[in-house]
Amino acid sequence: MNTKRITLPVILALSGVSFAATAYINQIGYRTGGFKELTLFEGSGNVDFVDQSGQTVLSVTPSAAANWDGSGQSVQLVDFSELKTPGTYTIKVNGQEVRKDLKIADNTYGEVSKALLKWFYYQRASMALDEQYAGKWKRSAGHPDMGVAFHSSATGGSGTVDSPKGWYDAGDYGKYIVNSGISTYTLLSLYEHFPAYFDKLKWNIPADGNLPDLLAEIKYNLDWMLTMQAADGGLYHKLTTLQFCGTVMPNEDVDTRYIIGKSVTATYDFAGVMAVAARVYEKFDATFATKALEAAKKAYAWGEANPNVFYKQPHDVATGTYSDNNAKDEKNFAAAELYVTTKDASYKSEGAFTTIPGWADMSGLVTYSKASHSDVFSDAAAAKDSLLAAADRYVKNASTGFGVPMTKGDFYWGSNSVAANMGVWLLYAYYLTADKKYYNSAVRTLDYLLGKNPMDMSYVTGFGSKSPMHPHHRPSQADGINEPVPGMLVGGPQPGGEDIGKNEWECKDYRVNGAPAKSYLDDECSYASNEVAINWNSPIAYLAGAIEALNSGFAPSFAVNGVVALPKVRPVLKAVDGSPKLRFDSHKVFIESNGIRYDLKGKKLK
């Protein structure tokens, strides 16, 4: 019998079935005058943007399709930066409606930025969260941490110690010096870079004297960190129970808590953070600043005398370890920050590095410090070169796929924080050069985290058309409220599958073979992809907060156009009448006083 072969397209045409294109967007929205881009999958023809009256206001031809190894998809990028009128738009591809939730607005990241920062308030230990500040997520106080006993691993400790305050580390109720280190540093640097902006920004948290909200929140954790320093200067590693508790609220976790371990990595992390705190808080509380600096110096001295005291998990403890056996990066970090604060040449840091910062490798923070303090470090130029070399790679990586600088190998535990830290890195490159390619790629990275990704979801709870509803976060799991605590960045997709198993409390296999960027599960069981943590929230809080500050007219404090450092600008500032401030508008820096604008030489601008 003679048969005719019917191809798939013919079958689909005969049946009336067709593949629908998918448009992945930043679900929070795009800035009116800013860079705007979406990712298109399985689309053909132009992409049309239709306003609420039904009029097509922009039509864009997508870039050529290219495979993205993170998800295994062949996708196109669509630049619609010319769409500048505020509003909500429908997106059509080849006449077919693919979504109608595209938002264009001013101050796009203002609310999500404040929520990302306010989440640290929700993580506070040792205090009740009142309805006035916490709304429906109010809760009783948990973990007063008064009279905490020393575990046998906490060498040199005897009796008990009062160690209240601090932030819960993640979805559990432990408090860890190492992870507090990089988290607190990141938030301190956000304030240090944009002090005038954050001096006035508020997001409804309890006041602490005359401190701005950001510094009030940070100090709540710094106060705890100071209680973890031993009399000899070394830092105890963590304060936790022996085992993780069940799914209960903080006040219901009544197991005995201990001061556990001592480590050189925690000690150097603490030294670096306190060195930054000393210079940031000096203008608000000189006594506290002096206390922080003396604690930093004492810690650094202990680290030099005890270079091989690494944390080893005791056999009866099963809470987070945060251990590594290489303290060179932590020592370099501490030395760099102490040198910036004290100008004491005995604090020597080595080299410049291109590693994205993380709790286990702080070397990238050394590069940040050196590149942004050209008036302090003799090797600042080399650090800047290293930083820009890495930033150029990220710009190239972000030019295809979903616009994120990540490659397939960057999807490991906490991948969303990898993306956020890459975005921060790109902002440093922008500060140092004023080259918009770095700024645009930083924006692309935030786009990815807020919806322009293969899961088509915002990874920040409470924000976006689709966001996580079941994070691995004990308060959100146990409080009886349908919505999780807002402003949390979940860990994100990664193929490790550490939470997959046959037990009832473990996850079924959610991994997608060959697509790490799709290996994610919005379920409470998934601590490997859906937990939250302070070191994940801090870089996205920096990223969103810094972008808002830049677009509100504030220049980064340490450098102007990569040439003029603040110390060189101060004489000009003093010479200008009134209360002059540096401003950053349309990616240009100027001085403004009493409504009059001046260039960086003090000359009036027209």
Side-chain angles (χ1 to χ4, degrees):
M1 183 175 68
N2 188 18
T3 60
K4 183 177 181 180
R5 186 176 182 180
I6 303 177
T7 62
L8 180 61
V10 172
I11 294 173
L12 292 174
L14 292 172
S15 64
V17 176
S18 63
F19 286 114
T22 303
Y24 302 92
I25 65 171
N26 180 330
Q27 296 174 10
I28 308 303
Y30 296 83
R31 298 192 70 88
T32 51
F35 174 75
K36 307 176 189 71
E37 185 179 72
L38 62 80
T39 292
L40 183 66
F41 177 55
E42 292 187 335
S44 62
N46 281 6
V47 178
D48 296 326
F49 298 85
V50 182
D51 66 15
Q52 291 182 312
S53 71
Q55 180 180 356
T56 298
V57 294
L58 182 68
S59 185
V60 178
T61 301
S63 67
N67 185 72
W68 189 57
D69 64 1
S71 64
Q73 294 168 282
S74 180
V75 295
Q76 299 167 282
L77 289 174
V78 180
D79 185 335
F80 60 102
S81 299
E82 291 304 309
L83 185 59
K84 299 178 180 180
T85 303
T88 301
Y89 295 84
T90 295
I91 302 172
K92 292 185 177 182
V93 179
N94 200 24
Q96 181 182 38
E97 181 180 302
V98 294
R99 66 187 311 147
K100 50 186 178 181
D101 59 342
L102 177 71
K103 301 180 183 68
I104 308 294
D106 295 321
N107 304 317
T108 314
Y109 307 128
E111 291 306 309
V112 71
S113 172
K114 288 188 284 188
L116 290 163
L117 290 166
K118 185 168 180 176
W119 179 68
F120 291 88
Y121 163 76
Y122 289 113
Q123 289 295 99
R124 288 188 184 189
S126 312
M127 71 175 289
L129 304 189
D130 297 333
E131 186 174 7
Q132 173 185 357
Y133 304 107
K136 63 183 176 182
W137 294 281
K138 64 182 179 180
R139 59 170 171 80
S140 300
H143 309 100
D145 289 336
M146 303 296 285
V148 182
F150 289 94
H151 187 270
S152 59
S153 61
T155 57
S158 61
T160 63
V161 65
D162 293 341
S163 191
K165 296 188 175 183
W167 299 318
Y168 295 131
D169 179 68
D172 66 292
Y173 297 132
K175 299 189 294 189
Y176 304 81
I177 287 294
V178 166
N179 213 36
S180 275
I182 191 167
S183 306
T184 309
Y185 166 86
T186 302
L187 297 184
L188 280 169
S189 65
L190 178 59
Y191 178 84
E192 190 170 29
H193 295 161
F194 299 99
Y197 179 75
F198 284 100
D199 276 345
K200 296 181 179 180
L201 193 68
K202 292 185 175 296
W203 49 87
N204 190 31
I205 61 173
D208 185 348
N210 64 337
L211 292 176
D213 278 5
L214 180 52
L215 294 189
E217 190 58 64
I218 294 170
K219 190 173 181 295
Y220 195 84
N221 198 59
L222 290 172
D223 286 343
W224 166 70
M225 293 178 74
L226 285 163
T227 70
M228 294 289 284
Q229 185 172 35
D232 62 5
L235 266 290
Y236 297 114
H237 199 76
K238 62 181 178 179
L239 194 167
T240 73
T241 51
L242 298 181
Q243 309 289 322
F244 289 120
C245 69
T247 306
V248 297
M249 294 298 286
N251 61 299
E252 297 171 328
D253 176 25
V254 294
D255 289 349
T256 303
R257 287 159 73 87
Y258 297 89
I259 303 289
I260 301 173
K262 203 173 193 179
S263 72
V264 65
T265 51
T267 300
Y268 279 134
D269 284 342
F270 172 91
V273 167
M274 289 299 164
V276 180
R279 58 182 188 258
V280 167
Y281 285 85
E282 185 177 14
K283 70 177 181 179
F284 296 101
D285 188 340
T287 301
F288 178 77
T290 298
K291 180 180 180 180
L293 183 56
E294 291 307 309
K297 291 177 179 178
K298 194 172 182 180
Y300 189 86
W302 186 92
E304 287 198 301
N306 298 272
N308 298 312
V309 179
F310 298 106
Y311 179 75
K312 184 178 181 181
Q313 186 87 308
H315 67 87
D316 61 338
V317 177
T319 51
T321 57
Y322 289 114
S323 63
D324 71 271
N325 294 325
N326 181 358
K328 290 182 180 179
D329 53 300
E330 288 87 357
K331 182 178 181 179
N332 268 329
F333 161 64
E337 296 305 331
L338 275 163
Y339 183 52
V340 172
T341 302
T342 67
K343 308 302 186 293
D344 183 342
S346 67
Y347 296 113
K348 296 180 179 179
S349 54
E350 300 174 354
F353 310 89
T354 59
T355 307
I356 282 295
W359 68 262
D361 191 343
M362 306 280 274
S363 57
L365 303 185
V366 181
T367 305
Y368 286 171
S369 186
K370 290 186 175 183
S372 60
H373 290 91
S374 58
D375 57 328
V376 175
F377 292 99
S378 61
D379 55 348
K384 178 181 175 181
D385 289 344
S386 294
L387 190 148
L388 295 181
D392 285 338
R393 292 198 301 271
Y394 299 150
V395 169
K396 182 179 179 180
N397 292 344
S399 64
T400 59
F402 286 80
V404 67
M406 302 167 76
T407 59
K408 194 172 185 178
D410 293 316
F411 286 90
Y412 46 82
W413 196 315
S415 66
N416 282 342
S417 73
V418 178
N421 276 304
M422 287 177 170
V424 173
W425 191 287
L426 285 160
L427 284 181
Y428 271 87
Y430 178 54
Y431 303 157
L432 294 167
T433 64
D435 191 329
K436 288 181 67 174
K437 71 179 182 182
Y438 300 122
Y439 172 84
N440 289 347
S441 292
V443 170
R444 282 170 156 167
T445 304
L446 191 54
D447 289 344
Y448 168 86
L449 294 170
L450 295 176
K452 199 180 92 176
N453 56 64
M455 299 304 298
D456 192 25
M457 70 184 298
S458 164
Y459 286 121
V460 177
T461 57
F463 287 84
S465 311
K466 175 186 175 185
S467 62
M469 290 297 295
H470 307 285
H472 185 86
H473 177 244
R474 281 166 178 75
S476 295
Q477 294 170 251
D479 61 9
I481 299 169
N482 186 50
E483 299 89 357
V485 172
M488 301 188 291
L489 177 69
V490 297
Q494 59 99 9
E498 294 85 355
D499 48 18
I500 295 169
K502 297 181 180 179
N503 294 312
E504 182 180 349
W505 52 271
E506 292 177 301
C507 298
K508 294 181 180 179
D509 198 341
Y510 55 84
R511 295 169 293 183
V512 179
N513 187 38
K518 290 184 175 181
S519 299
Y520 166 81
L521 180 66
D522 181 19
D523 193 288
E524 296 167 359
C525 70
S526 188
Y527 56 83
S529 77
N530 211 36
E531 192 172 10
V532 298
I534 57 176
N535 67 310
W536 299 344
N537 248 66
S538 54
I540 188 175
Y542 183 103
L543 184 60
I547 289 174
E548 275 300 296
L550 288 169
N551 285 282
S552 296
F554 293 87
S557 62
F558 65 80
V560 178
N561 286 347
V563 178
V564 186
L566 257 187
K568 299 177 183 178
V569 177
R570 283 177 185 144
V572 181
L573 287 170
K574 291 178 180 178
V576 175
D577 292 335
S579 301
K581 294 181 179 179
L582 282 174
R583 296 297 191 192
F584 199 85
D585 185 25
S586 300
H587 311 290
K588 293 181 180 179
V589 180
F590 58 90
I591 296 169
E592 184 176 68
S593 178
N594 299 324
I596 301 173
R597 296 184 177 189
Y598 304 83
D599 65 20
L600 298 182
K601 295 182 180 179
K603 183 179 178 181
K604 288 185 181 180
L605 297 173
K606 294 181 180 180

